[in-house]
Amino acid sequence: MAAGSCLLLLLLPWLVTASHSPPGCKIRITSKGLDLVKQEGLRFVEQELQNITVSDLHGKEGQFHYNISQVKVMDLQLALSDLHFQPQQDLAFNINNASISLRFRRQLLYWFFYDIGSINASADGVHIHTVLQLAKDRAGRLKISNITCNASIARMHAGFSGTLRKVYEFLGTFIVTGMRFLLSQQICPSLEHASLVLLNSVLDTVPVRNYVDEHIGIDYSLLRDPSVSTDTLDLDFKGMFFPRARENQELENHAVEPVIKETERMVYVAFSEYFFDSAMHAYFQAGVLTIELQGEKVPKDLEVLLRATFFGTIFMLSPAVDAPLRLVLQVSAPPRCIIKPSGTSVSVSAFLNISLVPPGQPAVQLSSMAMETKLSAKVFLQGKALRVQLDLRRFRIYSKQSALESLALFSLQAPLKTLLQLTIMPIINERTKKGVQIPLPEGMDFTREVVTNHAGFLTVGADLHFSKGLREVIEKYRPASTTPTYPSSQPAAPSVDPHQL
């Protein structure tokens, strides 16, 4: 028993580490970002409450019969509202002292007097308190998993007109009380439907696992439920690229976990070395880190120099003296990314094979040399696309056969470096030009981006803006059926005698 307890204590640190996989990508939304979301969310709430459907109200009191129908919200005043983080996984949304203006059709019968027309009413002192619980769903996508809601109306007034106005004002208490009850019962179901169905359809637009190009894809699934403090909401994403031919391949993350401390901007996105390493590993596994130049694609000056360098070998192959040259540059191992406060670099090891390709004959290899290069990487954000611009910083070639041949290749160092800068680097940068999308919902973009390097990771601080409104995105991705269904246990309206006029 004691031995088992000791073993458990020894394994406990490993179990804790294993259960907390470090993210390759991390997003922090600050209170400033939440303020922007509140502005757009408030417009959305107004639109939803304007679409409230209130059931017809009918009944009688003595000789007074009434039927209220075609209830329509005319105006809302939601001046006092607040959206804030609520630890550990919640967003709290409060509306205080709001007012709702209504218009509905009346049918009234009092003894022998029958009257129809419209009534204007107003609900004042409307208080709505909702809490949205955020969680990771099975697909690894952020979702609103639950909502609690409380709504109340302090006062309601109805304006009557016509010959029986005094009678209506006396007996209208029944109508006002019933309308107040029905309206308050419809607010929360409307907001629940808006959150659990409509807002979740917007969150469905966040890329979780999608293809970057014809070779690789990226996994942006959440590793765990969001972490919410009083000022921030943190999301840990897997941030791993994979080759499309091996979509289930996993690359273990040994990189430093990004740590975001800033809160000045609306949003911060952090990327660890693992994020970039997995992209290069995926391209390597896909077999696309190879570039071939042959014939006219080889720069003329370099071709002359190569033929001069290997003159003796070419002369011995006299039938192939005029054969085209072929250069094959092939990365020999997955490149590695190094992020330091001073900048970001990429280390690449490759082979360069130089051959003659006589027409109709097998290729004749002149040399196979090893290359070690270091590229500087400029990481920047444009819209929602993370892009990388690479530039050659250091370059070295050497022979795999002997030190003597390495010395003979020294004269090729400068021209081959020029070849890489002028021919190869543009090809590579053209491939990275498209970039990869950051996991934000459709309609939301970054502005005023600033990239900051740290030891082992970099952060992009930015502000947010809505290029599309929530309503526009919802209408585009509206589920097939978004009609709210309310539980049958919903309290009935206070109608003693449901008599239709």
Side-chain angles (χ1 to χ4, degrees):
M1 187 69 178
S5 300
C6 292
L7 181 62
L8 182 60
L9 290 174
L10 291 173
L11 289 176
L12 189 58
W14 181 86
L15 292 172
V16 171
T17 303
S19 63
H20 186 84
S21 302
C25 172
K26 190 184 190 85
I27 291 183
R28 163 169 288 183
I29 299 174
T30 67
S31 295
K32 291 183 180 179
L34 197 62
D35 287 340
L36 179 70
V37 173
K38 186 191 80 170
Q39 297 173 19
E40 183 63 27
L42 195 59
R43 284 192 289 268
F44 172 67
V45 169
E46 288 178 351
Q47 293 167 351
E48 287 300 302
L49 293 181
Q50 284 176 343
N51 294 325
I52 283 179
T53 301
V54 180
S55 304
D56 293 351
L57 177 66
H58 46 261
K60 73 172 185 176
E61 182 65 26
Q63 297 301 317
F64 179 61
H65 298 258
Y66 59 91
N67 184 38
I68 301 301
S69 61
Q70 300 177 16
V71 181
K72 184 178 180 181
V73 176
M74 303 302 295
D75 185 45
L76 294 100
Q77 296 295 329
L78 308 180
L80 301 177
S81 62
D82 176 56
L83 177 66
H84 63 270
F85 297 118
Q86 182 171 296
Q88 303 287 326
Q89 295 173 229
D90 302 329
L91 290 177
F93 182 58
N94 298 316
I95 296 175
N96 295 310
N97 203 27
S99 63
I100 303 175
S101 298
L102 306 169
R103 175 174 290 179
F104 44 86
R105 184 173 181 270
R106 71 174 187 260
Q107 292 175 279
L108 306 174
L109 176 63
Y110 184 63
W111 291 96
F112 302 105
F113 298 97
Y114 176 67
D115 184 44
I116 61 173
S118 60
I119 299 177
N120 294 322
S122 64
D124 299 320
V126 179
H127 298 276
I128 305 172
H129 176 70
T130 57
V131 177
L132 307 177
Q133 184 176 17
L134 304 175
K136 174 181 76 74
D137 69 3
R138 291 184 178 181
R141 180 177 276 111
L142 178 67
K143 283 297 183 71
I144 300 172
S145 60
N146 192 25
I147 176 174
T148 58
C149 175
N150 294 295
S152 64
I153 299 174
R155 300 170 302 278
M156 190 158 188
H157 307 282
F160 297 95
S161 61
T163 56
L164 301 178
R165 181 171 60 85
K166 293 296 183 182
V167 177
Y168 296 160
E169 290 177 352
F170 175 72
L171 298 174
T173 305
F174 303 106
I175 298 175
V176 171
T177 302
M179 287 302 301
R180 175 184 169 189
F181 177 83
L182 288 176
L183 182 61
S184 63
Q185 290 298 304
Q186 293 299 316
I187 291 175
C188 282
S190 177
L191 295 181
E192 289 171 4
H193 175 257
S195 301
L196 298 177
V197 178
L198 301 183
L199 288 183
N200 274 338
S201 72
V202 176
L203 294 176
D204 282 339
T205 66
V206 177
V208 172
R209 190 176 178 89
N210 63 321
Y211 295 141
V212 176
D213 54 29
E214 64 271 24
H215 305 295
I216 68 170
I218 186 168
D219 188 339
Y220 270 132
S221 58
L222 282 170
L223 294 175
R224 54 193 66 89
D225 289 334
S227 176
V228 180
S229 70
T230 55
D231 300 314
T232 60
L233 183 150
D234 289 340
L235 301 167
D236 290 346
F237 296 94
K238 191 171 188 178
M240 184 198 77
F241 293 83
F242 56 86
R244 291 180 59 168
R246 308 174 188 176
E247 293 198 11
N248 295 323
Q249 177 176 291
E250 292 285 333
L251 181 64
E252 195 169 350
N253 187 353
H254 297 291
V256 174
E257 179 172 350
V259 177
I260 304 175
K261 297 180 180 180
E262 300 88 347
T263 58
E264 291 78 16
R265 294 296 188 95
M266 292 184 182
V267 64
Y268 290 89
V269 188
F271 305 94
S272 75
E273 292 175 344
Y274 172 81
F275 180 86
F276 301 100
D277 283 345
S278 68
M280 294 180 288
H281 188 273
Y283 275 124
F284 181 79
Q285 290 291 320
V288 296
L289 298 185
T290 301
I291 296 177
E292 181 177 317
L293 301 176
Q294 182 173 323
E296 295 181 354
K297 292 184 178 180
V298 180
K300 199 64 180 177
D301 293 345
L302 180 62
E303 181 182 359
V304 172
L305 182 62
L306 289 174
R307 288 182 182 277
T309 302
F310 300 104
F311 177 77
T313 304
I314 296 175
F315 187 77
M316 295 298 292
L317 305 168
S318 54
V321 169
D322 295 328
L325 279 175
R326 181 172 66 191
L327 278 64
V328 178
L329 179 63
Q330 182 175 9
V331 174
S332 57
R336 296 297 305 274
C337 175
I338 302 171
I339 303 177
K340 297 180 179 180
S342 57
T344 302
S345 62
V346 178
S347 298
V348 184
S349 298
F351 296 139
L352 177 62
N353 295 321
I354 303 174
S355 307
L356 288 172
V357 282
Q361 299 181 33
V364 179
Q365 182 170 298
L366 298 179
S367 177
S368 178
M369 60 188 76
M371 298 175 53
E372 291 181 357
T373 61
K374 179 163 284 190
L375 311 176
S376 61
K378 178 184 177 183
V379 180
F380 60 98
L381 205 59
Q382 191 168 14
K384 276 192 293 192
L386 182 74
R387 299 180 178 180
V388 179
Q389 181 78 22
L390 297 170
D391 190 27
L392 183 61
R393 183 192 299 176
R394 289 207 300 262
F395 171 77
R396 186 172 76 92
I397 59 171
Y398 57 93
S399 172
K400 297 188 297 180
Q401 277 76 34
S402 67
L404 185 61
E405 187 175 4
S406 294
L407 185 62
L409 294 175
F410 184 77
S411 61
L412 295 176
Q413 186 95 8
L416 284 176
K417 183 176 182 180
T418 302
L419 170 71
L420 287 176
Q421 288 174 324
L422 299 181
T423 306
I424 306 300
M425 294 309 300
I427 296 175
I428 296 174
N429 283 322
E430 184 64 27
R431 291 183 177 179
T432 62
K433 184 177 180 180
K434 181 181 177 182
V436 59
Q437 187 178 356
I438 304 303
L440 278 184
E442 183 173 337
M444 185 178 287
D445 293 318
F446 296 105
T447 61
R448 300 175 60 237
E449 307 89 349
V450 175
V451 178
T452 305
N453 279 45
H454 304 271
F457 65 96
L458 59 85
T459 60
V460 182
D463 288 336
L464 297 169
H465 83 282
F466 283 92
S467 58
K468 296 179 182 178
L470 283 175
R471 177 62 56 188
E472 183 180 352
V473 178
I474 286 170
E475 291 302 325
K476 182 178 178 180
Y477 296 98
R478 179 178 287 275
S481 175
T482 60
T483 304
T485 55
Y486 308 136
S488 58
S489 59
Q490 180 180 341
S495 175
V496 179
D497 181 13
H499 173 67
Q500 290 287 348
L501 292 175

